[in-house]
């Protein structure tokens, strides 16, 4: 069975690029345009990993992460932050909030796939 990855980003072009990369590897992809939309999908659909941006309107990546980790559906699901940020303090906050990994944009497609395969066993 194919794994389902949720990608959350307010940039449609980034979502499209992430989705294209993951689909080319045979993965299913759900998309959301902000953290709240992502949270609603992550808690009502079966997802095997989440790739989320940090800076978004409505609910940012850290807020999503904290809220998702408090929900039963968020237990044990890898969450990767895909962001332009590389600040160590933000990375620390993300780790403390339950982030599994951090990838800085622009990302390399093979790097994203390698991380997703590693965290999902896909």
């Amino acid at each position: 069975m194919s794994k389902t990855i949720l990608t959350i980003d307010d940039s449609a072009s980034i979502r499209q690029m992430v989705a294209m990369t993951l689909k080319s590897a045979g993965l299913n992809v759900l998309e959301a345009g902000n953290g709240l939309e992502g949270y609603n999908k992550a808690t009502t659909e079966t997802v095997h990993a989440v790739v989320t941006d940090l800076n978004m309107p409505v609910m940012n990546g850290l807020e999503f992460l904290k809220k998702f980790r408090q929900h039963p559906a968020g237990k044990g699901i890898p969450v990767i932050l895909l962001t332009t940020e590389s600040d160590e303090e933000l990375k620390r906050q993300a780790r403390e909030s339950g982030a599994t990994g951090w990838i800085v944009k622009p990302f390399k497609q093979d790097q994203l796939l390698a991380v997703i395969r590693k965290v999902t066993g896909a």
Side-chain angles (χ1 to χ4, degrees), residues 108-121:
K108 294 182 179 69
Q109 291 177 306
D110 54 350
Q111 177 196 21
L112 177 64
L113 277 177
V115 169
I116 293 298
R117 285 191 175 117
K118 183 177 177 186
V119 301
T120 63

Side-chain angles (χ1 to χ4, degrees), residues 17-76:
M17 206 157 75
V18 169
M20 188 183 72
T21 300
L22 298 175
K23 286 176 181 172
S24 72
L27 296 159
N28 296 321
V29 179
L30 295 173
E31 296 182 31
N34 64 59
L36 184 59
E37 190 183 327
Y39 176 80
N40 291 336
K41 287 188 178 182
T43 55
T44 58
E45 313 233 5
T46 300
V47 297
H48 300 96
V50 178
V51 177
T52 182
D53 189 14
L54 183 62
N55 300 312
M56 296 178 288
V58 187
M59 179 189 287
N60 70 33
L62 273 180
E63 292 166 338
F64 162 81
L65 184 58
K66 289 174 183 169
K67 191 170 169 92
F68 185 52
R69 286 295 184 227
Q70 291 170 352
H71 191 282
K75 303 286 184 269

